[in-house]
Amino acid sequence: MSGAYTHRPVLLEEAIQGLAIRPDGVYVDGTLGRGGHSEAIVRGLTAGGRLLCIDRDSQALEEGRARLAPWAGQITFLHGNFGDLAALLDGAGVERVDGMLFDLGVSSPQLDDGSRGFSYQHDAPLDMRMDQSAPLTAFDVVNGWSQEELRRILWQYGEERYSGPIAAAIVRAREQAPIQTTGQLADLIRGAMPAKARREKQHPAKRSFQAIRIAVNDELGEVERMLDTALNLLRPGGRIAVISFHSLEDRLVKSAFAQWASGCTCPPDFPVCVCGKKPRARLVGRRPIVAGGEELQDNPRARSAKLRVAEKCGFDL
């Protein structure tokens, strides 16, 4: 098991620095994954501090309990989606916390486990569920959703410029027999694209697999629901740190943070403020933090990572 923990979480030092951990505080790791961020957080706590670890993947929770066993008395493990943050914290008897960290997207173990059906590089049943107790699978999406809905998600979630031909190819193929595996799907996608697209550096199926995964797990909806409630669950002065991996997620985070920090919404030509709105948070850094050269060399998956941090204003509205 020890070899499993050599993996280094993305933007680890930057995220921990961004949280500005109070040793006796209460913190949330909304995406436990392999537990690297959680371990760094709990190491910064004294005996009076507490950490709540959330993950929708029961396997991640099981492995997290083993990794974090030395701090078991300070950690609460919660099986669920961070989009249900308010309900999860309420169920754990927690009203407010001092900081939250969310590392969005699919975790390395999920990608690396070919049987989970996330990767176009392994032939496996079409699954892609982060929570394997959830009802909707990639098989259901690929074989059951309409051609127009498939085209929409491939374009909207994958920014796939050949979304139309790919959706049409999927529908034609499934009329003959259900599409069962990731290998079948990857071959279909490749065959629906022009030769010049198949010669591009990235795998032809990368964008489509991302789009289907996002749809299966309602990833953007979960981020929106989390952002709708997270600030209310922070104590004044508490911080939220979010690591995103593609522009769709980052856009949601950037927009929410900007809204929290905006304050007055009166037209600029008004002589005095009449809306009475005040900033609810301040941005910690005006630009997102990205991985440096050394981290990129060790972990190419960090290339698209962006960290944004916001601090709740020192008062409650």
Side-chain angles (χ1 to χ4, degrees):
M1 290 290 289
S2 60
Y5 301 148
T6 58
H7 168 79
R8 188 167 186 77
V10 170
L11 295 171
L12 177 62
E13 287 85 1
E14 294 87 346
I16 298 304
Q17 183 178 356
L19 284 175
I21 293 170
R22 287 179 43 204
D24 60 347
V26 180
Y27 289 84
V28 170
D29 184 349
T31 45
L32 173 61
R34 282 186 170 175
H37 287 120
S38 283
E39 182 174 332
I41 293 170
V42 77
R43 283 185 180 276
L45 299 177
T46 60
R50 184 178 178 188
L51 174 63
L52 297 100
C53 296
I54 300 169
D55 209 292
R56 60 169 74 181
D57 189 336
S58 56
Q59 184 177 337
L61 290 169
E62 182 181 334
E63 293 177 2
R65 283 190 180 93
R67 175 174 187 169
L68 301 169
W71 302 276
Q74 294 174 258
I75 300 178
T76 303
F77 293 93
L78 301 170
H79 182 221
N81 298 343
F82 59 69
D84 300 322
L85 189 62
L88 288 167
L89 295 193
D90 184 61
V94 174
E95 291 186 8
R96 298 287 183 91
V97 301
D98 297 286
M100 307 175 182
L101 173 64
F102 300 91
D103 180 1
L104 306 179
V106 65
S107 70
S108 295
Q110 291 166 340
L111 282 175
D112 296 339
D113 182 353
S115 67
R116 299 289 295 270
F118 284 100
S119 176
Y120 41 78
Q121 296 176 335
H122 307 279
D123 194 24
L126 278 171
D127 192 327
M128 299 194 192
R129 290 174 298 173
M130 293 179 180
D131 178 354
Q132 293 193 292
S133 67
L136 184 69
T137 68
F139 178 91
D140 301 323
V141 171
V142 169
N143 291 286
W145 288 17
S146 69
Q147 181 172 330
E148 177 53 31
E149 188 66 0
L150 288 171
R151 186 206 64 77
R152 183 191 69 80
I153 66 168
L154 294 176
W155 172 252
Q156 186 175 339
Y157 298 161
E159 299 174 300
E160 173 53 72
R161 59 189 182 279
Y162 301 108
S163 57
I166 291 170
I170 289 172
V171 171
R172 283 196 302 271
R174 76 189 192 193
E175 286 172 352
Q176 306 303 313
I179 301 163
Q180 301 278 1
T181 70
T182 54
Q184 286 177 277
L185 180 59
D187 287 344
L188 270 172
I189 293 167
R190 186 185 293 107
M193 300 171 80
K196 65 177 182 178
R198 295 197 297 269
R199 291 193 295 268
E200 290 178 0
K201 186 176 181 180
Q202 78 173 15
H203 194 285
K206 181 177 181 179
R207 290 183 293 267
S208 295
F209 268 60
Q210 171 185 293
I212 295 166
R213 188 202 81 219
I214 289 173
V216 167
N217 296 288
D218 189 25
E219 292 177 35
L220 299 180
E222 295 294 345
V223 173
E224 287 179 326
R225 286 188 284 278
M226 176 271 287
L227 291 168
D228 282 345
T229 59
L231 197 64
N232 291 334
L233 298 168
L234 275 178
R235 290 194 180 104
R239 290 188 174 190
I240 176 173
V242 184
I243 301 171
S244 59
F245 287 86
H246 55 73
S247 59
L248 299 171
E249 294 170 337
D250 183 58
R251 207 172 297 145
L252 292 174
V253 177
K254 180 181 180 181
S255 175
F257 281 20
Q259 187 177 11
W260 297 345
S262 63
C264 176
T265 56
C266 294
D269 58 345
F270 273 34
V272 294
C273 172
V274 295
C275 75
K277 294 181 179 177
K278 298 185 182 301
R280 302 179 64 207
R282 71 172 187 89
L283 304 181
V284 180
R286 307 300 297 186
R287 300 180 63 82
I289 298 166
V290 298
E294 185 177 339
E295 180 170 2
L296 291 174
Q297 190 172 355
D298 293 339
N299 182 13
R301 286 178 183 167
R303 185 175 298 109
S304 58
K306 291 182 177 179
L307 167 66
R308 295 184 187 273
V309 182
E311 179 179 291
K312 186 170 182 176
C313 290
F315 54 84
D316 269 324
L317 297 179

